[in-house]
Amino acid sequence: MSSKVTALRIDSIETLSEKTQAYFELCEEKLGLVPNVLKAYAFDETKLRAFTDMYNDLMLSESGLSKLDREMIAVAVSSVNHCFYCLTAHGCAVRELSGDPELGELMVMNYRVADLSEKQRAMLDFAVKLTERPAEILERDRQGLRDAGYSDRDIWDIASVTAFFNMTNRVAAATDMRPNDEYHSRAR
């Protein structure tokens, strides 16, 4: 059990704004915790708002992708990048949203061995290729997603979620960001 959020010594703001304090209280109410990633960004409320606005738009807003689909992308990308924080937090979200602890663990280790639909597999194959070899994405990759049943808007969302988690994985790696302890035991 660790209370360490990151390896960096950046002082948090002494007093959070009312808006940020209310957001943290909402997290506590809905999630039972304030995710450490939010605490890590709390040294600069502008950066925190930018992060949360983008996260909430990508992961919670209307989309042709389900919340589970988006969490699965987060885990597949984070698995490629070996991001301990995101694998722990978003692996937990996959377990919770799917009601299947084994799926969450398989996604963390290797989504290719999980019992997924062909549509989900196409989505994750695209996300992983975009993570590993972005310069090799071609029209046939986008067409493969269309053939699997995704709209062009869905492809945008797949790409955006993939890009966001590649960014956050790198910040988490650079700062040695640690997940909240609670994620380890949830939905098992």
Side-chain angles (χ1 to χ4, degrees):
M1 299 262 204
S2 172
S3 61
K4 177 176 123 173
V5 175
T6 73
L8 302 181
R9 293 184 193 102
I10 301 175
D11 292 332
S12 293
I13 297 170
E14 290 296 318
T15 305
L16 297 174
S17 70
E18 285 183 32
K19 184 177 180 181
T20 299
Q21 187 59 44
Y23 185 69
F24 281 14
E25 288 170 8
L26 181 65
C27 289
E28 191 72 50
E29 177 185 318
K30 289 189 171 218
L31 305 173
L33 55 86
V34 176
N36 280 349
V37 67
L38 301 182
K39 293 176 186 176
Y41 275 93
F43 74 93
D44 183 324
E45 289 200 18
T46 301
K47 287 176 179 33
L48 175 64
R49 274 191 307 280
F51 176 85
T52 58
D53 286 350
M54 181 64 86
Y55 176 88
N56 290 336
D57 179 64
L58 292 173
M59 300 301 283
L60 304 174
S61 69
E62 286 296 315
S63 173
L65 305 178
S66 70
K67 289 179 183 177
L68 177 59
D69 289 337
R70 291 176 268 186
E71 290 292 350
M72 289 170 61
I73 293 169
V75 173
V77 167
S78 299
S79 182
V80 169
N81 293 324
H82 306 285
C83 180
F84 178 59
Y85 184 98
C86 289
L87 285 171
T88 304
H90 297 282
C92 176
V94 168
R95 292 190 308 268
E96 290 175 341
L97 290 168
S98 69
D100 184 352
E102 184 177 1
L103 175 62
E105 296 305 311
L106 286 170
M107 290 294 304
V108 164
M109 297 305 294
N110 180 1
Y111 76 91
R112 292 171 187 89
V113 298
D115 186 20
L116 304 173
S117 70
E118 287 304 312
K119 186 175 182 180
Q120 290 169 321
R121 192 168 307 284
M123 171 187 72
L124 297 176
D125 287 345
F126 183 89
V128 166
K129 183 175 182 179
L130 183 57
T131 297
E132 295 177 329
R133 303 178 318 280
E136 295 178 22
I137 295 289
L138 302 170
E139 181 56 30
R140 71 173 169 250
D141 299 301
R142 290 180 290 277
Q143 189 58 49
L145 288 173
R146 290 182 194 107
D147 293 345
Y150 291 103
S151 70
D152 281 5
R153 170 58 201 271
D154 297 337
I155 295 168
W156 178 274
D157 289 350
I158 293 166
S160 295
V161 171
T162 300
F164 180 80
F165 279 95
N166 274 292
M167 185 274 295
T168 59
N169 289 172
R170 281 151 180 78
V171 172
T175 64
D176 191 24
M177 193 177 296
R178 294 302 170 127
N180 300 65
D181 292 330
E182 294 88 340
Y183 289 130
H184 295 290
S185 58
R186 285 189 174 175
R188 295 202 179 265

